[in-house]
Amino acid sequence: MADQAGNLTFAIIKPDAVGAGNTGKIIDRIIGGGFRIRAMKMIHQTRKQSEGFYEVHRGKPFYEGLTEFMSSGPCVVMVLEKDGAVKAWRDLMGATDPTKADEGTIRKEFGGSVGENATHGSDSDENAAIEISFFFSKLELV
Ligand code: DAT
Ligand code: MG
């Protein structure tokens, strides 16, 4: 399928989930949820890189903690494909705060707190394109 706005999103398995050994279980949930993994790699971001990625949140009370956490250990970054990918992946992740996430969602099962909530997902097609290009070149989408 040709890449187009609406069928791609960007996902991160965050350092808490990777550190807890939940990477494989989360990837299994992604594949079971009908997503095609178009690109995937393990990275350990510097503080500067995590600050750049979360630039839109600069100034918010949780920005310092968030960027420290996201650079605290390895992450898995991915490009996911599915019709309506942005919403489909956010639905599978669940609410930002794991205590408020629906049963059966990834954040409910694997998230520890609102700050350390196992996964990231883009919030719009426009931001998905920006976030994908932050970590992947076009050639890396297979
Ligand atoms: P989401 O990741 O669901 O898109 P967001 O974009 O509002 O949520 O926030 C980005 C991340 O920042 C979120 O995954 C965890 C952290 N965060 C958000 N709100 C927070 C809060 N009130 N306290 C601590 N961390 C927070
Ligand atoms: Mg967000």
Side-chain angles (χ1 to χ4, degrees):
M1 192 196 294
D3 294 338
Q4 56 193 41
N7 67 2
L8 295 181
T9 193
F10 174 74
I12 305 178
I13 303 175
K14 294 186 179 183
D16 57 326
V18 173
N22 290 325
T23 303
K25 290 177 199 149
I26 291 172
I27 291 172
D28 201 44
R29 297 282 294 270
I30 289 168
I31 293 167
F35 293 87
R36 194 152 84 83
I37 299 173
R38 295 286 308 276
M40 175 164 67
K41 62 189 169 191
M42 188 168 253
I43 60 165
H44 187 157
Q45 295 182 86
T46 64
R47 185 72 182 264
K48 281 261 173 294
Q49 287 168 333
S50 70
E51 286 174 358
F53 180 73
Y54 279 115
E55 190 64 40
V56 292
H57 292 302
R58 189 183 289 275
K60 292 187 184 161
F62 56 83
Y63 180 74
E64 293 298 320
L66 173 64
T67 56
E68 184 180 0
F69 164 61
M70 291 300 286
S71 56
S72 68
C75 285
V76 176
V77 290
M78 283 178 284
V79 178
L80 305 180
E81 179 183 322
K82 189 179 183 177
D83 284 347
V86 165
K87 180 173 188 301
W89 172 231
R90 291 195 70 91
D91 287 348
L92 183 58
M93 286 200 301
T96 307
D97 181 348
T99 65
K100 295 179 183 146
D102 290 340
E103 287 298 332
T105 61
I106 288 173
R107 281 168 160 172
K108 180 75 173 187
E109 188 171 348
F110 301 108
S113 67
V114 64
E116 303 196 2
N117 55 8
T119 52
H120 166 84
S122 306
D123 63 6
S124 65
D125 292 342
E126 184 191 6
N127 283 335
I130 292 168
E131 292 175 3
I132 289 167
S133 69
F134 195 85
F135 291 103
F136 294 101
S137 77
K138 209 165 185 154
L139 282 173
E140 291 177 290
L141 271 60
V142 297

